Amino acid sequence: SVNPMAYEAQFFGFTPQTCMLRVYIAFQDYLFEMMLVVESVILKKLDGFPNAKISAFQIRKSTEKFLLFMKEHFDKLFGKMEEVLLQLVLNIPKNVLLPEDKVHEQYPYTKEQFQALQDEIDQLQQRYKAEASAGQALLAEIEEQKTVQAELEKILQWFDGLENICRAHGTSNFKESFAFLTQNSKKLQGVLKDVEKKSK
Amino acid sequence: ALDESLAQIKEYITRFTTECQSWDQLLLGYQKSAEEMSRHLEECKTNQGYAEPQNYLGTSQAKVLSSKPDYQKILDDQGEVFTCMELVLDELQQAVKLLQAFAEDGTQYLRGLS
Amino acid sequence: ELIVETTTKRKQWPKKILMHAIQTMKGEQEMLKLYQPIVTPEEIRS
């Protein structure tokens, strides 16, 4: 089955398979290079034997045979090496968390829990705004109360003023003064009647 | 086995492509939120934070605010006091004028008699 | 390429997202601090 080795790719920045492939290609390129070098050395040595019955074409054929032989062995050995490297070196054990994922070790949040937190934050913000608005409303009411209080105090002052005027004119109690005035008027009425009678 | 591997590879390609797109969308979403928030903050600073008030229902002061008296009515009710005082003072003035007139009449009569 | 691209995003995008999320939250906090609801007192007729 295909194993993408994604966690390893997250750590290394490349997939282990790509790494092994590049190592393989490097080895292979080197092998081809070496074969060419070996072939050129043999061809050079062959120049020193003009009577040799071996042609350059045969050398080339042998080189190709040798290359095939080496490649087969190399492929077999590389296969084993790749297996070991992928399992033991370019591998992150199942129990290991990379540093960037450490946060998920102890506090795994579900989508619902995250949404619940978001909702709670939104609610708190709304409540804060509502409380701030209520505070401002209370301050506005205090201003209204001050206005009303000033008006009511004006009324009280008016009554005080009235009382002061009355007192200044010798009348502190309207009821008493009025009763006194009425009594005196009645007395005067009595006196006038008396005088009228005596005059007649 | 090859077909199976190919099918698996195709499935991985689809999954990883979708995941990539999801990551990009998520990042874009948060980026847009941050940009919008910056814009709102600038607007708010321009307005000096002034805003429409929220509903008071459910706040800690809801009871106090909902029991707000009618201050205008309290003041308007004082009008009755003034009306009453006007009537009283009018009556008082009339009564005193009457008594004054009586006093004058009486004085004149006695002067005449004398 | 796709595996590397996806896993790079798994590693790096959360940091960027966190940065934007923090910026958003700080903005929200500041906006709350600046929040000044206007409640005008009612006109009281004398």
Side-chain angles (χ1 to χ4, degrees):
Chain A
S1 67
V2 175
N3 180 3
M5 298 187 85
Y7 212 43
E8 286 76 10
Q10 185 175 322
F11 177 68
F12 291 111
F14 50 81
T15 59
Q17 295 93 330
T18 308
C19 179
M20 295 315 302
L21 179 67
R22 293 206 173 139
V23 168
Y24 177 83
I25 289 170
F27 269 115
Q28 199 177 49
D29 288 348
Y30 188 71
L31 185 65
F32 287 173
E33 231 177 88
M34 282 301 112
M35 284 294 145
L36 284 175
V37 166
V38 163
E39 190 188 61
S40 66
V41 164
I42 292 171
L43 284 172
K44 226 177 181 176
K45 286 249 187 262
L46 201 60
D47 285 341
F49 298 101
N51 297 328
K53 289 189 181 116
I54 307 168
S55 67
F57 177 73
Q58 278 173 306
I59 301 292
R60 174 42 67 96
K61 276 274 171 245
S62 299
T63 312
E64 281 173 5
K65 225 172 160 180
F66 186 41
L67 176 63
L68 203 64
F69 170 78
M70 287 298 285
K71 198 167 173 312
E72 272 172 22
H73 275 83
F74 168 68
D75 283 348
K76 222 185 275 176
L77 288 170
F78 190 85
K80 287 185 186 154
M81 185 177 88
E82 184 181 36
E83 216 178 295
V84 167
L85 284 176
L86 285 179
Q87 275 178 13
L88 299 177
V89 177
L90 299 173
N91 179 278
I92 294 181
K94 291 270 175 271
N95 63 323
V96 168
L97 264 185
L98 294 175
E100 60 264 26
D101 296 328
K102 273 276 191 278
V103 69
H104 298 295
E105 195 172 19
Q106 280 178 3
Y107 306 109
Y109 270 103
T110 61
K111 203 168 152 185
E112 290 76 25
Q113 283 171 320
F114 178 75
Q115 192 54 48
L117 272 179
Q118 274 297 125
D119 292 341
E120 197 185 329
I121 288 174
D122 290 338
Q123 265 177 27
L124 281 171
Q125 284 178 346
Q126 285 307 311
R127 269 176 61 190
Y128 172 86
K129 285 184 176 174
E131 292 288 340
S133 300
Q136 287 299 118
L138 287 173
L139 287 172
E141 193 177 330
I142 286 177
E143 288 307 308
E144 288 168 28
Q145 286 179 348
K146 281 183 187 166
T147 311
V148 170
Q149 190 174 11
E151 288 295 318
L152 291 174
E153 266 167 17
K154 265 203 286 193
I155 294 170
L156 287 175
Q157 273 175 14
W158 185 84
F159 275 105
D160 284 343
L162 185 65
E163 214 176 300
N164 287 340
I165 289 172
C166 293
R167 207 175 289 126
H169 285 78
T171 319
S172 58
N173 190 331
F174 267 120
K175 206 172 172 183
E176 272 180 24
S177 305
F178 199 66
F180 177 73
L181 204 58
T182 320
Q183 257 184 0
N184 275 3
S185 304
K186 274 196 176 144
K187 271 190 199 164
L188 190 59
Q189 239 181 2
V191 166
L192 282 173
K193 273 191 181 147
D194 228 5
V195 165
E196 206 178 11
K197 214 165 129 185
K198 281 181 180 162
S199 153
K200 275 183 182 161
Chain B
L2 182 63
D3 285 342
E4 218 175 284
S5 298
L6 278 174
Q8 272 191 336
I9 288 172
K10 279 186 183 162
E11 201 196 313
Y12 274 123
I13 288 176
T14 313
R15 271 182 22 200
F16 282 131
T17 311
T18 313
E19 189 183 327
C20 265
Q21 285 169 357
S22 299
W23 276 116
D24 287 336
Q25 269 174 15
L26 196 65
L27 177 63
L28 198 65
Y30 276 95
Q31 195 178 348
K32 276 196 175 143
S33 292
E35 282 166 10
E36 225 175 275
M37 181 50 62
S38 286
R39 216 173 16 92
H40 279 153
L41 189 58
E42 280 312 307
E43 273 174 26
C44 194
K45 282 180 180 170
T46 314
N47 289 339
Q48 293 175 301
Y50 293 141
E52 282 295 309
Q54 304 273 304
N55 196 313
Y56 314 135
L57 283 173
T59 62
S60 59
Q61 306 304 315
K63 224 174 171 179
V64 173
L65 286 169
S66 60
S67 63
K68 178 181 165 179
D70 188 346
Y71 292 113
Q72 189 60 63
K73 188 171 180 298
I74 290 173
L75 274 191
D76 290 344
D77 286 350
Q78 302 306 309
E80 268 184 52
V81 171
F82 284 111
T83 315
C84 183
M85 282 306 294
E86 203 178 349
L87 281 173
V88 163
L89 288 177
D90 272 346
E91 279 188 24
L92 205 60
Q93 195 181 43
Q94 276 180 25
V96 167
K97 276 190 177 154
L98 200 65
L99 288 171
Q100 267 181 341
F102 171 68
E104 271 235 12
D105 285 346
T107 316
Q108 272 205 4
Y109 171 72
L110 286 173
R111 197 179 284 140
L113 192 63
S114 154
Chain C
E1 270 177 23
L2 187 55
I3 293 170
V4 169
E5 189 188 341
T6 310
T7 54
T8 307
K9 287 180 183 178
R10 282 183 191 177
K11 185 173 179 174
Q12 290 176 358
W13 266 215
K15 291 179 201 164
K16 293 190 179 183
I17 288 169
L18 183 65
M19 201 178 72
H20 291 311
I22 288 172
Q23 194 184 346
T24 306
M25 277 191 216
K26 281 192 173 167
E28 278 173 0
Q29 271 187 350
E30 243 198 270
M31 271 186 67
L32 277 182
K33 281 185 194 165
L34 290 173
Y35 181 67
Q36 277 201 59
I38 306 173
V39 181
T40 8
E42 278 178 37
E43 278 287 322
I44 305 282
R45 288 185 315 271
S46 171

